[in-house]
Amino acid sequence: MAVAKCAIELGIGDAIENHGSPMMTLSELSTTLGCEPLRLYRIMRFLEPISQDSIGCALTPSSRLLVRHGEKSMAALILLESSPAIGNSPFEAANGKDIWSYDEANPGLSKLINDAMACGARVAVPAIIEGCPEVFDGIESLVDVGGGNGTALTMLVKAFPWIRGINFDLPHVVAVALKFDVIEIVGGDVFESVPKADAAFSMWVLHDWDDEECIKILKKCREVIPQDKGKVIIVDAVLAENKDDKLEFVRLMIDMVMMAHTNKGKERTLKEWSYVLEEAGFTRFNVKPIHAVQSVIEAYP
C-alpha cells in the first residue's frame, strides 16, 4: 500500500500517461518527476519488475488504477487508506527519529525487533546448516556482528560444537541477549570496532545501511579476521537477475520495507554486493543459495 501511495504522489502513472508514447525510459521518467534515479528504479522494480535488457516503463492494467484522473482511478482511495491519519507512513516521518535512535529509547520496540530477527533466524539458520555446512569448517571462533538476542549464534554453535561464539551488538541489545556457555557477549559499536575471531558472521544487518556505511562495517570485519584463513560470512538477500525465483517478489518487498523503515538501507543485486565487497578490500567472494530468502556470501580478505 505504501509503495502504491508513493507512486501516486510522485505522479508516476500520470507522467507515463502524458508522455505521448506507450513506453517511457527510466531516465525520462526520472527527469520528468525530479526523482533520484536509483530510488525510482527500486520503486519501479517492485511495482513492475524491469529486466536488465529493457528499462522502459509502460502502464499495465493494474498501474492504470494509479493514474489520478483515470476513468477507473483508485488513487483517492489508496491515498485515504495510507494517509498518516490511518497510521501508514514512513518510520521517521511518523516517529521523528530514525529507527535505531527510536529503538534505543524504546525497550518495547527493541525487544520486538530482536524477536522479529529471531523469527527470521529460526528459518534461515536451519537452511544454512542443511544447505552449506562446509562454510563453518575450520572455524574455531565466530563473531556474530549485529547478533541481536543471540538466537542465530546459539543455533550455530549447537550445530557446530567446535565453534566458540561472540555475540556482538549495541550494549542495550546484548544486555538482554540469551546466555550460552560457549558464547561471549560483547557490547559495542560496529562502526568503531569488532571483536577478533576466525570469521565474522552477519545476518540481515548490511541491508540496513547504504553502500558507504556497509563498506565501513565490512572493513571493520576484515580488520579482525586472520588474513590467511579468515572470512566474513554474510547472510542477506541477493536480488536475482532473472525473475524465475519464487522468492524474488519477497526480496523486492523487503527492499520496499528498507526504504520505508531505514534512511538508506536496501537489498542488493550481485553486482551491488561485488561493489561493496571490493571497496571494503576483499579479494574474492562466492554466493551459496539456500532454501530461504537470503543467500550465504563468503568474502575473503
Side-chain angles (χ1 to χ4, degrees):
M1 182 70 79
V3 184
K5 173 180 181 286
C6 179
I8 293 167
E9 292 182 336
L10 285 173
I12 291 174
D14 300 274
I16 297 173
E17 177 80 0
N18 297 329
H19 180 58
S21 63
M23 188 71 69
M24 189 176 190
T25 68
L26 191 65
S27 176
E28 290 171 333
L29 185 59
S30 174
T31 300
T32 300
L33 300 177
C35 183
E36 197 270 318
L38 180 57
R39 286 181 177 266
L40 179 61
Y41 170 75
R42 291 167 65 191
I43 293 168
M44 296 300 294
R45 181 173 61 185
F46 179 83
L47 290 172
E48 186 67 33
I50 303 168
S51 71
Q52 294 292 330
D53 298 326
S54 174
I55 57 171
C57 309
L59 290 177
T60 63
S62 296
S63 62
R64 287 188 181 278
L65 300 176
L66 306 182
V67 177
R68 283 181 180 268
H69 304 295
E71 182 180 351
K72 297 181 179 180
S73 174
M74 299 291 288
L77 177 61
I78 292 170
L79 291 174
L80 171 65
E81 291 300 318
S82 58
S83 71
I86 305 298
N88 187 9
S89 58
F91 190 93
E92 191 165 358
N95 296 285
K97 303 180 178 181
D98 67 72
I99 191 169
W100 310 119
S101 300
Y102 194 87
D103 166 87
E104 187 172 3
N106 291 269
L109 177 64
S110 182
K111 182 179 186 304
L112 181 60
I113 291 175
N114 288 322
D115 288 348
M117 295 301 99
C119 288
R122 284 189 279 270
V123 173
V125 174
I128 298 168
I129 295 168
E130 180 182 350
C132 49
E134 70 280 359
V135 167
F136 300 93
D137 289 347
I139 295 175
E140 296 182 4
S141 58
L142 181 71
V143 56
D144 188 351
V145 179
N149 68 9
T151 297
L153 187 57
T154 300
M155 296 173 73
L156 288 171
V157 297
K158 285 181 178 179
F160 308 108
W162 60 85
I163 293 177
R164 176 180 61 84
I166 304 170
N167 184 14
F168 177 65
D169 211 317
L170 293 167
H172 76 275
V173 174
V174 296
V176 293
L178 301 171
K179 304 293 191 299
F180 196 67
D181 55 359
V182 294
I183 295 178
E184 178 185 0
I185 295 175
V186 179
D189 184 344
V190 69
F191 291 105
E192 295 180 0
S193 65
V194 173
K196 288 186 177 181
D198 291 341
F201 178 86
S202 171
M203 183 167 71
W204 271 156
V205 171
L206 296 176
H207 73 164
D208 291 329
W209 307 98
D210 69 5
D211 287 352
E212 182 179 350
E213 293 164 324
C214 187
I215 291 165
K216 288 179 181 178
I217 294 171
L218 287 167
K219 283 182 175 180
K220 291 297 181 183
C221 292
R222 183 174 58 80
E223 289 172 2
V224 300
I225 59 174
Q227 296 303 297
D228 55 344
K229 62 177 183 177
K231 62 181 173 181
V232 175
I233 304 165
I234 302 163
V235 183
D236 235 310
V238 178
L239 297 179
E241 301 298 336
N242 65 69
K243 307 302 176 184
D244 295 333
D245 190 330
K246 294 179 180 179
L247 292 174
E248 185 63 11
F249 184 76
V250 179
R251 298 183 186 104
L252 295 176
M253 181 180 68
I254 295 171
D255 185 51
M256 293 297 98
V257 172
M258 290 298 101
M259 191 181 292
H261 286 181
T262 70
N263 288 338
K264 300 176 182 178
K266 63 178 181 178
E267 303 305 331
R268 291 178 168 87
T269 63
L270 184 61
K271 183 177 180 180
E272 289 170 323
W273 278 115
S274 179
Y275 170 75
V276 296
L277 288 167
E278 288 178 8
E279 289 294 309
F282 291 89
T283 58
R284 60 188 176 92
F285 72 95
N286 60 60
V287 179
K288 298 177 183 287
I290 56 175
H291 292 298
V293 171
Q294 306 99 317
S295 293
V296 176
I297 303 172
E298 295 175 285
Y300 299 89

